[in-house]
Amino acid sequence: MPGRVSARSSSTSQAVHIASSQNLSTRRTAASSHIEIPDEGPSTSLRTRICEIFKDAQRSTAGHRKLATSLRKVQEACCYEVPNAQGKVQEKFEEDDFNVEVARCVIRLLCVKKSESVGDRIVHFLGTFLRRASEKDIALVPEEPVEETQTLPETPSTRLTAHILSILLPLLDSKEKVVRFRATQLVAHVINSLDSVEDEYYQLIRTGLLKRMRDKEPTIRVQAVLGLGRLAGNETEEDQEEPASDDDDASGLLRKLLEVLQNDSSADVRRSLLLNLPLTPRTLPFLLERARDVDPTIRRALYSRLLPALGDFRHLSLSMREKLLRWGLRDRDETVRKATGRLFSERWIEDCAASAAPGESKPTVEAILPSLDGLLELLERIDVVNSATGSGIATEAMREFWSERQDYRHAFIFDDAFWDRLTPESVFVARSFNDFCKEETRTFELLAEEKMPEVTKLAFFLQRYTNDLVNRMRYNNAMTEAEEQEDTVEKEFIVEQLLHIAKALDYTDEIGRRQMFSLLRETLAIEELPEEITRLVVDVLRGVCGSEAAGEREFCGIVLEAIAEVHDNVAPDEPMADNDNESFHSARSELSNITPTKARSGGSVNAAKDGNSEIVEAKAVREIMINIKCLHIAQCMLENVEGSLQQNIHLVTTLNNLVVPAVRSHEAPIRERGLLCLGLCCLLDKALADENLTLFLHCFTKGHDALQVSALHILCDIFTTHSNLVTAETVDPALHRSLYRVFSKGLKAAHAPEVQFAATTALCKLMLTSVVQDEDLLKQLVTLFFDPATKGNAAVIQALSYFLPVFCHSKRENMEKMAAVAAAVVHTHVNLADELDEGEEVVSATTVANMLLDWTDARKLVAQDVAVVTCNGARDTEVKGTNGDIHLTLAETLLERAMTYGCPKEERKTLVNMVGKICIVSNSSREKLRTVTDLATVAMDAKIATDTTTRNALNKIHQALCNALGEADSVARRAEGPNADETVAGHRLDAEDASYVEGTLLKLEEERTVTQGQDALLEELLLDENEDL
């Protein structure tokens, strides 16, 4: 197609640009009405055709491709020599005519508001046309080798784009936000639709969008970052490493976008950047940290759109994979958790399953079928050995995996070959599958019974892998320090997972139960067994013995025998007690007699004589390890016992011969482990707990941080189990004082965050269960919540942010306690704010007041157990309303504190403003309404409100109290019937009572009239003064 010579001139283009700008100013949403629309010349067939195309484009996006083809034909007719096939004479137009008409339609779009969807359709159509026209023009250019320094060929599409950008770029700085939005949107869409932009406009676009990136309107910033995100991919490394300066163009564009991604207040801006920034090693950490964004839509976009599009997840580091799973699966938003589960169970498993298919360069149908090797690799990639224990995320991830992937549930077969070659990943697959089936419906339980081995076979495999572990540990212990020891972590993990599977099995099969019972009994007596495996063995043994009382006694007897055997196997040559009975009692008596004083005093003398100090020291350390091992087994046993201590002879033996000597030991590790066992024993016997309360209080007072935390946990558990030790009327007041002193000291332990958190959680639990009802401790908790010194202890803040609203809204009595301490909390907080240094941040008194009002709002009680029957005047029917006595009590406390002599001005202002926001209802107690009304009257007479805002708040609440009191009197009269004029609620009304409300209202109206007169007089004086001046 032969080209036509362009007849453009610079003067003509400039005139068009000015005319277009003036035309923009004439829109009704952007300019004043006195500006007239300039003459655009007569209407032509070209203008009519282009306008029809744009008119059709704003109806729907479905026909945009067809309309873009039609507009392209019009452009070709204007820019190229098109032969007339029909032989008809057509009107000839130049390329400039076409560009002017398209720009004319684009200008009409600038004043269309964002809420109008037709504007977005036109923007989409323009981008579609420019992309299609550019592709057509490039196809017409002869193919020649392009050098790096060669500029792009000039085509009609590039000239049209340049003409549109020359009009839009000056409008990016318009004062009208609608014009700025549409101009920014058009520029961003144009550069996202094209593969390249002329260098002449590149810097202008970059500078203009950088300015719009700081616009005050979030919608404009969104469009700006959409355009800059495309330009950021063209930034060279040298540009990014340039030092920052005051000039926006001098510093790297990508660095600015990353700063906006982290700090912009609009969630839409951050989300747009998240989805449009280039994925490079530099931007990836900033993108992935949006998993902790405050907005759930951004977190969901990361897991549902960015991470699936990222490619193979194995390019991420191990710590980042674990963090992404933990943050996503434990997110507070359910949609984020589901998106994370789909990412793990669909995208990540497919990456591993595709690579597990041998000889395939690309994923095929067979590669994405259920693959055990792919699943094992996936678990290996998330380090299942470390992430499946404690607070790891592997267990939650596999629960989501089994829930989503039905094909994997039915495809796997756990046969003998599978159990013979167990690895940490494969055994965790079996354990997670078994746990998922046991937690779900009966259908999945049958599936687990079908696939998992029976008890007898599992006991065989458990014995085999336990023996391997023990043999390896004994071999390592026999090796010298110079020899390299084999790591047993994986073997320990395999045994732990097998024990987890054994906990969930059904032991109705007596043969399998007996075999598992004997195996666990022998395993528990192995001294080299790690503590975690020991705990799991005791847990499984408790389930094997049965839940009845006889099974519990049998369980305790077996554990005690294992404890005695552990001691006998570890120290067979040590002398026993004076008697020859090698029972558990004699073994423990010997251990209890071995104190550091005796062992080391005699041992040190012998060491000095014989020169065997190292042997004596090693023996002492070994004895300590023996005690700790036995105490750990006893602790695991006590954690699985629920019966009475005195009715179980085995528990009494454990207490007397093992726990009590350990508590009296001079070795700190033994004493602390014995203290935990003693606390567990106290949970089983109330009398024992009462006897040892002083001991636990002493441990908190004199102990170190870790011991204080243990003592607080023990005290909390004891008082939760035996609440009568605190709530009974016969309790010694000295015990109350000691207990409250312990909690008060723990709340003030800002130097030890763990102790402060333990005291906070323990006190919150006891207050929620109404075991502790002290108002001073409640005041300390509320003050601690607002204290700036607690800002660094996030655990305490999180615990209190949950406890305080739940405590107040759960019971009316709790809300009344909060109302009683509210004034004292405000007083403490105001004084604390005054004592802070300049620059330290503190919660404003207004925020504190609003939260206290919310916590004492009776309308938010979960159980409206106290309601007053009122009368609906419209239909004369009875309805129930919320009793408002709590806020009246709060108002009474606040007013009394505000009228106290010496109350600071700032505190008085906060208190009065709080009174102005309380909820007043007519179905409250008439006595309280009258009392608070009198206090409000006295406060107004005393003129405690010094500023206009406080004075208006006080007047407002006084009027509301008077109205509520009058309505309450009317309700009482109607309830009493015809004789209501004489008696209300059993009290005779006299003339003074009858006219109380009316007199108060008249007095309030007179004061308002006087105030208005004073204001008018003040305005008149000011006016006269201005005239004199």
Side-chain angles (χ1 to χ4, degrees):
M1 181 181 298
R4 177 183 297 177
V5 179
S6 176
R8 293 189 306 166
S9 64
S10 59
S11 59
T12 305
S13 177
Q14 184 177 3
V16 171
H17 171 62
I18 295 175
S20 300
S21 301
Q22 292 175 350
N23 182 34
L24 172 66
S25 303
T26 60
R27 301 296 295 175
R28 66 174 183 271
T29 59
S32 56
S33 58
H34 70 277
I35 298 179
E36 298 180 357
I37 299 177
D39 184 15
E40 296 179 338
S43 177
T44 61
S45 60
L46 177 63
R47 177 180 299 179
T48 303
R49 179 57 180 155
I50 293 177
C51 290
E52 290 178 355
I53 293 176
F54 274 87
K55 179 180 179 181
D56 295 337
Q58 66 184 1
R59 296 176 181 174
S60 174
T61 59
H64 278 186
R65 296 186 63 181
K66 183 178 180 181
L67 292 173
T69 303
S70 301
L71 188 59
R72 172 61 183 176
K73 292 180 180 180
V74 176
Q75 184 186 28
E76 290 177 352
C78 296
C79 302
Y80 298 100
E81 294 288 348
V82 181
N84 188 3
Q86 290 80 10
K88 298 180 181 179
V89 179
Q90 297 182 351
E91 187 178 359
K92 299 296 182 179
F93 296 97
E94 300 295 332
E95 178 183 343
D96 288 344
D97 299 331
F98 176 82
N99 294 345
V100 169
E101 294 301 331
V102 172
R104 177 178 174 275
C105 295
V106 171
I107 291 175
R108 295 300 190 273
L109 172 66
L110 294 175
C111 297
V112 179
K113 294 183 178 180
K114 182 180 181 297
S115 57
E116 298 291 340
S117 58
V118 295
D120 297 334
R121 297 192 191 110
I122 293 298
V123 172
H124 180 270
F125 169 71
L126 182 63
T128 303
F129 166 71
L130 290 178
R131 180 172 57 254
R132 188 175 183 85
S134 178
E135 294 173 356
K136 292 285 187 179
D137 288 339
I138 295 297
L140 295 175
V141 177
E143 295 184 1
E144 296 179 358
V146 181
E147 300 178 0
E148 294 183 359
T149 58
Q150 182 178 350
T151 60
L152 294 174
E154 186 176 358
T155 63
S157 298
T158 59
R159 291 191 289 269
L160 174 62
T161 304
H163 180 65
I164 294 176
L165 290 176
S166 64
I167 297 175
L168 295 177
L169 291 176
L171 298 177
L172 292 177
D173 297 328
S174 174
K175 295 182 180 180
E176 295 294 333
K177 63 180 181 180
V178 177
V179 177
R180 292 200 312 273
F181 168 74
R182 288 300 180 186
T184 309
Q185 183 186 27
L186 283 167
V187 172
H189 202 78
V190 166
I191 61 178
N192 278 284
S193 301
L194 302 178
D195 295 332
S196 59
V197 180
E198 294 183 4
D199 295 339
E200 177 185 357
Y201 292 98
Y202 180 83
Q203 291 298 330
L204 295 176
I205 294 173
R206 186 176 184 272
T207 304
L209 293 182
L210 279 174
K211 292 180 179 179
R212 291 308 100 215
M213 191 175 65
R214 304 297 182 183
D215 199 281
K216 63 181 180 179
E217 296 294 332
T219 55
I220 299 177
R221 299 201 301 272
V222 168
Q223 300 301 324
V225 298
L226 285 176
L228 291 173
R230 176 66 183 276
L231 299 181
N234 299 326
E235 293 285 329
T236 61
E237 293 297 329
E238 292 78 5
D239 293 336
Q240 303 303 327
E241 295 175 358
E242 290 179 0
S245 63
D246 296 336
D247 188 5
D248 286 343
D249 295 337
S251 57
L253 173 61
L254 188 58
R255 183 170 62 251
K256 294 179 178 294
L257 292 177
L258 294 177
E259 180 183 351
V260 172
L261 177 64
Q262 290 181 310
N263 303 315
D264 198 283
S265 59
S266 174
D268 294 333
V269 176
R270 301 195 303 272
R271 183 175 181 273
S272 300
L273 275 176
L274 176 70
L275 300 177
N276 289 276
L277 277 178
L279 295 175
T280 63
R282 181 179 180 184
T283 61
L284 188 59
F286 295 91
L287 297 175
L288 296 182
E289 74 177 7
R290 289 302 94 199
R292 306 297 288 169
D293 198 282
V294 296
D295 189 77
T297 58
I298 297 178
R299 303 195 299 269
R300 183 170 64 251
L302 173 72
Y303 286 100
S304 61
R305 298 183 59 181
L306 179 66
L307 289 177
L310 185 61
D312 197 333
F313 79 99
R314 288 170 289 190
H315 294 126
L316 300 174
S317 63
L318 177 60
S319 61
M320 184 55 67
R321 296 175 212 152
E322 193 272 336
K323 288 179 180 179
L324 288 174
L325 282 179
R326 185 173 72 251
W327 293 340
L329 292 177
R330 296 178 181 175
D331 197 277
R332 68 176 66 92
D333 190 82
E334 183 179 1
T335 58
V336 179
R337 296 195 299 269
K338 290 183 178 180
T340 309
R342 287 193 299 269
L343 175 71
F344 179 81
S345 59
E346 296 178 4
R347 189 67 182 87
W348 286 13
I349 184 61
E350 288 180 4
D351 292 339
C352 296
S355 62
E360 295 287 346
S361 59
K362 294 183 179 181
T364 60
V365 177
E366 291 77 8
I368 62 175
L369 289 176
S371 171
L372 177 60
D373 295 336
L375 182 57
L376 297 182
E377 182 185 354
L378 175 60
L379 293 176
E380 182 182 0
R381 296 291 182 179
I382 63 174
D383 191 15
V384 69
V385 176
N386 295 318
S387 61
T389 58
S391 60
I393 199 61
T395 304
E396 300 175 31
M398 287 304 296
R399 187 184 301 115
E400 294 292 333
F401 177 83
W402 293 118
S403 177
E404 294 286 340
R405 299 306 297 263
Q406 180 180 0
D407 52 345
Y408 275 82
R409 290 200 304 263
H410 296 282
F412 283 177
I413 299 177
F414 303 108
D415 52 6
D416 293 343
F418 174 85
W419 297 102
D420 287 336
R421 299 186 300 272
L422 284 181
T423 62
E425 292 77 20
S426 61
V427 72
F428 185 72
V429 168
R431 179 258 173 115
S432 61
F433 176 79
N434 185 68
D435 291 347
F436 170 78
C437 294
K438 296 297 182 181
E439 294 173 0
E440 297 297 327
T441 59
R442 179 62 180 170
T443 304
F444 293 107
E445 292 183 6
L446 296 176
L447 184 63
E449 294 176 1
E450 176 186 348
K451 292 182 176 293
M452 300 303 293
E454 60 271 12
V455 178
T456 305
K457 185 175 293 186
L458 183 66
F460 170 76
F461 292 121
L462 177 60
Q463 183 178 12
R464 171 186 166 184
Y465 288 102
T466 303
N467 293 337
D468 292 344
L469 171 63
V470 173
N471 293 335
R472 175 51 56 184
M473 296 184 69
R474 289 174 178 173
Y475 177 77
N476 289 342
N477 293 335
M479 297 175 65
T480 61
E481 296 181 357
E483 297 176 339
E484 184 178 358
Q485 298 181 357
E486 182 181 351
D487 192 7
T488 59
V489 175
E490 293 187 357
K491 294 182 180 295
E492 293 178 16
F493 183 80
I494 293 175
V495 176
E496 290 174 6
Q497 302 309 305
L498 290 175
L499 289 171
H500 279 292
I501 296 175
K503 285 178 63 176
L505 292 181
D506 185 8
Y507 292 98
T508 55
D509 180 16
E510 184 62 23
I511 298 177
R513 192 193 73 84
R514 290 180 180 180
Q515 186 170 355
M516 183 66 73
F517 179 83
S518 60
L519 172 62
L520 295 174
R521 168 64 183 82
E522 296 173 359
T523 305
L524 190 60
I526 300 175
E527 63 274 8
E528 294 87 0
L529 213 62
E531 287 194 353
E532 180 63 21
I533 296 181
T534 301
R535 183 187 66 82
L536 290 173
V537 168
V538 175
D539 293 346
V540 177
L541 184 61
R542 180 66 186 92
V544 172
C545 292
S547 58
E548 63 276 359
E552 185 175 285
R553 287 192 295 269
E554 180 186 15
F555 164 72
C556 295
I558 294 300
V559 173
L560 291 184
E561 292 178 6
I563 293 176
E565 189 172 344
V566 166
H567 179 269
D568 295 340
N569 291 337
V570 173
D573 298 332
E574 292 184 8
M576 308 302 293
D578 295 336
N579 56 356
D580 296 330
N581 183 15
E582 296 185 2
S583 63
F584 169 75
H585 182 277
S586 62
R588 300 313 320 140
S589 298
E590 173 63 22
L591 288 177
S592 64
N593 290 331
I594 299 177
T595 61
T597 304
K598 295 181 180 180
R600 295 185 179 180
S601 61
S604 61
V605 175
N606 295 333
K609 294 179 180 179
D610 303 334
N612 296 328
S613 59
E614 295 182 359
I615 299 177
V616 174
E617 183 178 357
K619 182 179 178 180
V621 172
R622 189 174 182 83
E623 291 172 356
I624 293 175
M625 299 304 297
I626 293 172
N627 283 272
I628 292 178
K629 178 68 177 180
C630 295
L631 287 170
H632 175 69
I633 299 176
Q635 177 184 348
C636 297
M637 177 192 67
L638 293 170
E639 290 174 352
N640 288 275
V641 175
E642 298 178 356
S644 174
L645 177 69
Q646 300 299 332
Q647 296 179 2
N648 193 326
I649 186 61
H650 303 293
L651 296 179
V652 176
T653 304
T654 304
L655 175 65
N656 296 331
N657 298 331
L658 180 63
V659 178
V660 173
V663 174
R664 295 174 179 174
S665 174
H666 290 261
E667 297 292 343
I670 298 177
R671 187 169 59 249
E672 293 176 9
R673 188 64 65 93
L675 188 69
L676 293 177
C677 294
L678 181 60
L680 292 172
C681 292
C682 291
L683 299 181
L684 304 176
D685 188 78
K686 180 181 177 181
L688 181 65
D690 193 11
E691 294 174 2
N692 291 279
L693 280 180
T694 307
L695 171 64
F696 298 128
L697 295 174
H698 177 77
C699 290
F700 177 85
T701 305
K702 302 297 183 180
H704 52 82
D705 292 350
L707 188 59
Q708 286 181 338
V709 172
S710 300
L712 286 170
H713 290 165
I714 292 172
L715 289 172
C716 179
D717 293 341
I718 288 176
F719 292 137
T720 303
T721 306
H722 311 294
S723 58
N724 291 335
L725 294 176
V726 182
T727 59
E729 297 179 358
T730 58
V731 177
D732 187 5
L735 176 62
H736 276 175
R737 290 193 297 269
S738 300
L739 175 64
Y740 296 160
R741 193 179 303 114
V742 164
F743 283 115
S744 178
K745 181 180 178 181
L747 294 177
K748 297 177 182 178
H751 61 282
E754 296 83 4
V755 178
Q756 191 178 42
F757 173 66
T760 302
T761 53
L763 188 57
C764 290
K765 293 176 183 178
L766 295 177
M767 283 192 167
L768 281 176
T769 54
S770 300
V771 176
V772 175
Q773 303 180 6
D774 186 68
E775 293 184 356
D776 290 336
L777 291 177
L778 177 61
K779 173 192 169 184
Q780 290 189 39
L781 284 176
V782 181
T783 305
L784 185 67
F785 182 62
F786 297 112
D787 193 348
T790 319
K791 183 171 57 176
N793 198 339
V796 172
I797 297 297
Q798 184 177 14
L800 290 176
S801 63
Y802 171 80
F803 161 74
L804 290 172
V806 171
F807 173 78
C808 296
H809 298 157
S810 58
K811 295 175 62 177
R812 177 172 290 272
E813 293 77 8
N814 297 341
M815 191 172 285
E816 291 173 351
K817 293 184 181 67
M818 181 62 71
V821 303
V825 169
V826 174
H827 172 71
T828 305
H829 183 76
V830 171
N831 292 340
L832 182 64
D834 294 338
E835 296 173 359
L836 291 178
D837 298 333
E838 185 178 357
E840 293 188 37
E841 296 182 359
V842 64
V843 181
S844 64
T846 304
T847 303
V848 176
N850 291 336
M851 298 187 76
L852 290 172
L853 288 170
D854 179 77
W855 293 338
T856 55
D857 191 351
R859 295 172 296 181
K860 295 187 177 182
L861 279 172
V862 176
Q864 296 288 349
D865 51 347
V866 180
V868 178
V869 178
T870 61
C871 188
N872 190 340
R875 298 184 180 180
D876 199 19
T877 58
E878 291 183 345
V879 296
K880 286 190 174 182
T882 303
N883 189 297
D885 289 350
I886 296 178
H887 261 189
L888 291 177
T889 303
L890 175 63
E892 182 179 355
T893 307
L894 298 176
L895 288 174
E896 289 177 352
R897 172 60 191 168
M899 290 186 292
T900 303
Y901 177 77
C903 181
K905 178 180 179 181
E906 186 66 26
E907 179 183 349
R908 180 180 291 112
K909 179 179 179 181
T910 303
L911 295 175
V912 175
N913 287 331
M914 282 185 67
V915 173
K917 297 177 182 179
I918 65 174
C919 176
I920 303 297
V921 292
S922 58
N923 51 348
S924 302
S925 172
R926 294 179 64 249
E927 289 75 12
K928 283 188 175 295
L929 281 172
R930 187 177 297 278
T931 301
V932 178
T933 304
D934 292 340
L935 281 174
T937 304
V938 173
M940 294 175 63
D941 294 339
K943 297 182 179 180
I944 63 173
T946 57
D947 59 299
T948 305
T949 304
T950 309
R951 188 163 52 250
N952 292 340
L954 191 59
N955 292 336
K956 176 183 177 182
I957 196 63
H958 186 270
Q959 184 176 3
L961 287 168
C962 294
N963 294 337
L965 184 60
E967 186 177 350
D969 290 340
S970 301
V971 171
R973 292 191 189 98
R974 289 197 299 269
E976 289 295 329
N979 298 325
D981 294 336
E982 298 180 0
T983 60
V984 174
H987 299 282
R988 183 169 299 276
L989 298 177
D990 51 15
E992 182 181 357
D993 292 331
S995 61
Y996 176 82
V997 177
E998 297 179 0
T1000 305
L1001 292 175
L1002 290 175
K1003 181 180 178 181
L1004 184 63
E1005 186 66 27
E1006 292 175 358
E1007 292 178 355
R1008 184 184 296 108
T1009 304
V1010 173
T1011 303
Q1012 293 176 353
Q1014 293 175 351
D1015 295 340
L1017 180 60
L1018 180 60
E1019 293 178 359
E1020 184 178 354
L1021 292 174
L1022 292 175
L1023 182 61
D1024 295 340
E1025 184 178 354
N1026 293 334
E1027 292 178 354
D1028 295 338
L1029 293 176

